[in-house]
Amino acid sequence: MTRRGLLAGFFAAATLSACDGTPLVTPTPANSFNPPQDQPIATWELTGGFTAAGIAALRPPRLVVYGDGDAVADATYRSRLDPDQLRTLAGGIADDLRAGASQKKPTPTTTIADAPVTKVSVWSPTGSLTFTAEGLDELKSDHVYADVLYDARDRLAAVHKTVSATAQPYLAARVRVVAVPALEGQAGTGSPIVPDPGPSATVKPWPTGVTLPSPDAEGLRRTDLDGDAAREAVRMLTRDLDQRGAWPTYRMADGTVVRASWRYLLPTE
């Protein structure tokens, strides 16, 4: 075919497309899913509520999912999501939080004292989205909050369940150590700093390789450790794996008796 024939064929095809109503418009490309690899793209946290001050100081996020697919539950277990799972999770939560129903104001209801605050955050190509809701679970039957907020939380809860079931331990080079007076103390809300262990608790000497700061007004001591100090804390202190306040009792060099535990820190803490 000659060059003139090729051009004639091209213009004929263009004319036919225009005549049959086919739009000659280049589609706008969708936003690509390219999350930051080393940053959280989905986070589920619980804060506040009727929680002992010592436990609250040590409490990790329920679930953090990073852009490279790493998923960490309770700073205790870890697993990985493949790219499709990651895209589905982040996209689903983002759609939930963009829904018009998620923006409605909570229905007035009786306040539940000391209910925890649920916070869910998700990364999207157009910007991060977040919601916080006090008493989300406690008020579910009253339909105070939009169903899409529960959908977003449930997506993360399903991942949390899967990650926890793998029983692959999460380990890190940095740890957080929290110590509180062994006798029952009072936090600002009137709750104990940690549950009282009772008179039969065994008292161990505090390890000399772990240094703690001075106590705050409530007697709580908290420090984040790295390197040799972190390794010494992991080696010498007992961890409260189920996060129920079963903290061992220790006697410090000055005679102060404390209860203490620790956990691994997340990369972004």
Side-chain angles (χ1 to χ4, degrees), residues 61-76:
R62 292 286 282 154
L63 180 74
V64 179
V65 180
Y66 292 87
D68 62 358
D70 201 19
V72 182
D74 300 315
T76 302

Side-chain angles (χ1 to χ4, degrees), residues 47-48 63 71 87 90 96 109 143 159 172 182 186 194 198 239 249 253 263:
T47 60
L63 180 74
R87 181 190 297 268
D96 292 334
T109 186
H143 305 288
V159 175
Q186 295 296 319
V194 288
R239 185 181 183 187
T249 308
R263 70 167 175 87

Side-chain angles (χ1 to χ4, degrees), residues 83-168:
D84 288 340
Q85 292 172 320
L86 202 63
R87 181 190 297 268
T88 298
L89 176 68
I93 297 173
D95 288 344
D96 292 334
L97 300 192
R98 288 194 188 100
S102 70
Q103 308 302 320
K104 79 168 188 176
K105 293 182 179 180
T107 304
T109 186
T110 302
T111 301
I112 298 180
D114 297 317
V117 175
T118 296
K119 181 178 180 180
V120 168
S121 303
V122 64
W123 176 92
S124 78
T126 57
S128 297
L129 301 166
T130 300
F131 85 80
T132 57
E134 183 176 0
L136 183 70
D137 292 318
E138 292 79 3
L139 297 171
K140 186 174 183 179
S141 61
D142 295 329
H143 305 288
V144 172
Y145 296 104
D147 289 342
V148 288
L149 299 186
Y150 292 98
D151 293 341
R153 189 279 314 275
D154 289 348
R155 293 179 195 273
L156 290 168
V159 175
H160 179 278
K161 182 178 180 180
T162 299
V163 173
S164 300
T166 66
Q168 296 297 317

